[in-house]
Amino acid sequence: MTPAPALAVAPAAPVAAMASAAPRGLIDGFGRRIDYLRVSVTDRCDLRCGYCMPKGFKGFEEPANWLRHDEMARLAGLFAGLGVRRLRLTGGEPLLRRGVAGLAAAIAALPGVDDLSLSTNGTQLARHAAALRVAGVHRLNISLDTLDAAEFGRITGRDCLDAVLAGLRAAREAGFAPIKLNSVVHAATPEADVRRLLDYALAQGFILRLIEPMPVGDCGRRYAHADLGELGARLAADAGLVPALVGQGAGPARYWSSGGGAPVLGVITPMSRHFCAACNRVRLGVDGTLYLCLGQEDQVPLGRLLREGASDADLERAIRAGIAAKPERHEFTTRPERIVRFMSQTGG
C-alpha cells in the first residue's frame, strides 16, 4: 500500500527533561487518556468482506516489512510502560499468521497489561482457541454478519459459515467469556437477519454488537449506514432487554442487558452518533505504523524508527509526540472521501 505522509515528530528533548515533564500515562491534546492499543499482526485475510477489502485486492504489505513478533512485543511493552492497559490483536485475520499464541503469551506477560483480547473472523478459531486461552487472551470478538449460509458466502466470498460456528463452539469450550459477535449492519441489511443473530446470541450466551460501516476506502463508501441506535432500541424492546448501566470492555458500544444484568446486545455508531470525545485508542499496523485515528491520516512510523535503531527512549518520545497530535475526531460525515486506505490495511 502507499503510505500517507508520516506525522512530523518534534525534535527529541533530553531524556531527563522529558521524564520530568511528561504526565503519567498518555494524554492527548484534548485531555483523553489513551490506554488501549490495537496491534495488527497481518493485513492478510482469508475472507473478502466488501466493506473491508475490495474484490481482487492484491496490495498487501510485503512480508519483509511486517514487524517480527519480538518487535511487536517490544513496542507493546513500551506502550504498557506508558500506561496502556488494554491490548487487542487484530488483522486482517490474525490467526493466519504463525505463532500468534506465542506473541499473545509474550504480551500477556508484560507488566501493566490488564486485558488482552483478539479479533477474528472465526475461520481458524477451532484449531487455536485452546492455545489462545492458555496464552493469556482474555476475550474474543468474532465477526459474524449473518447466519444464512448463502448470504454469508455472498458477503465474505467463501462458503465457510460452518467453520466459523465450529470456532465459536471451540471458544466457549475453551472457557472464553464474554464472547462478542461483531456484525456490520448497513442500510440494505435485512432486519430478519439481525433478529436471527440476536436470537442465536441469546441462546448461546454471546454478546451481539451491531456496527455501522465506515467510509474507509472506496469499498467502505459503498455501504450506506443505518442508524443502529434506533434499530438496537427496537430489537431490545422486542426481546425484553433494558439499557445496561455500564458497558462491557474498553470500547464505545452502548448496551442492553437481560434481566440478569449481563449485556447481550450492543451498538457501535461511528456515523449516526460518534464517540470521538471518549476515544481511548490507537492502532499499530503490521509494519509498525501507528495510526492515531481511523478517520484521519495522522500516523507515526514506529516500525521504521525501530528498524533504524531507535532506542526505547527515542520510541517513547515518538509515541508521546504522536499522541499529543491525535486528531480530535474523524470526518466521516463531512469528508467521507478523506481516507483512501482500506480497513484491512489499518487493522480492525
Side-chain angles (χ1 to χ4, degrees):
M1 71 180 172
T2 302
L7 175 73
V9 178
V15 176
M18 195 73 180
S20 61
R24 290 180 60 83
L26 293 171
I27 310 296
D28 73 6
F30 302 94
R32 297 172 296 196
R33 181 175 295 277
I34 308 304
D35 62 1
Y36 183 17
L37 175 68
R38 291 183 164 222
V39 180
S40 176
V41 303
T42 181
D43 60 347
R44 305 301 205 270
C45 189
D46 53 347
L47 302 183
R48 289 295 182 272
C49 302
Y51 48 77
C52 184
M53 188 185 302
K55 185 177 181 179
F57 177 71
K58 299 183 184 301
F60 298 105
E61 187 61 73
E62 291 296 327
N65 296 330
W66 295 356
L67 290 184
R68 301 187 309 271
H69 288 343
D70 63 305
E71 293 172 324
M72 288 183 183
R74 178 184 172 191
L75 290 176
L78 293 177
F79 275 95
L82 293 170
V84 167
R85 297 290 174 257
R86 303 177 180 97
L87 287 97
R88 175 175 292 276
L89 301 179
T90 71
E93 171 45 50
L95 298 182
L96 292 180
R97 186 161 180 185
R98 293 180 181 177
V100 169
L103 173 62
I107 292 176
L110 292 170
V113 174
D114 297 331
D115 181 73
L116 177 62
S117 54
L118 181 138
S119 292
T120 174
N121 62 29
T123 61
Q124 313 296 315
L125 187 56
R127 295 190 295 116
H128 295 285
L132 291 170
R133 182 68 174 165
V134 171
V137 176
H138 300 134
R139 296 180 294 108
L140 294 175
N141 286 11
I142 295 95
S143 298
L144 184 61
D145 293 339
T146 182
L147 289 169
D148 180 274
E151 182 67 6
F152 184 93
R154 188 191 67 78
I155 293 171
T156 67
R158 282 190 62 198
D159 179 14
C160 59
L161 176 61
D162 287 345
V164 175
L165 298 180
L168 282 163
R169 290 192 295 271
R172 186 169 55 189
E173 291 168 2
F176 281 104
I179 294 173
K180 298 177 183 176
L181 307 180
N182 285 352
S183 180
V184 174
V185 176
H186 52 85
T189 301
E191 187 168 318
D193 279 8
V194 184
R195 290 181 178 275
R196 185 178 175 189
L197 279 170
L198 179 56
D199 290 343
Y200 172 73
L202 288 166
Q204 300 297 321
F206 301 148
I207 300 174
L208 175 64
R209 306 197 310 170
L210 312 179
I211 304 173
E212 294 175 355
M214 291 169 277
V216 179
D218 289 340
C219 55
R221 285 187 280 276
R222 292 173 47 211
Y223 294 83
H225 76 274
D227 187 333
L228 295 190
E230 294 180 358
L231 176 61
R234 186 165 65 250
L235 294 173
D238 291 347
L241 306 178
V242 297
L245 296 179
V246 296
Q248 183 80 26
R254 291 176 285 137
Y255 287 99
W256 290 266
S257 67
S258 61
V264 294
L265 173 65
V267 292
I268 299 176
T269 56
M271 303 299 294
S272 63
R273 182 178 171 182
H274 76 81
F275 34 81
C276 298
C279 184
N280 65 340
R281 69 198 59 197
V282 289
R283 291 169 169 81
L284 191 68
V286 67
D287 64 347
T289 299
L290 180 65
Y291 295 100
L292 302 172
C293 175
L294 267 182
Q296 301 288 354
E297 293 290 0
D298 305 75
Q299 54 189 253
V300 182
L302 292 180
R304 177 172 62 79
L305 294 173
L306 183 153
R307 291 194 169 177
E308 289 175 351
S311 67
D312 285 357
D314 293 331
L315 292 169
E316 286 182 358
R317 282 192 289 268
I319 292 169
R320 286 195 182 277
I323 297 301
K326 180 176 167 65
E328 181 178 14
R329 56 164 297 176
H330 66 66
E331 297 176 301
F332 287 149
T333 55
T334 57
R335 300 179 66 188
E337 76 289 345
R338 181 170 178 79
I339 303 302
V340 297
R341 66 181 186 270
F342 307 118
M343 184 67 79
S344 61
Q345 295 172 309
T346 307

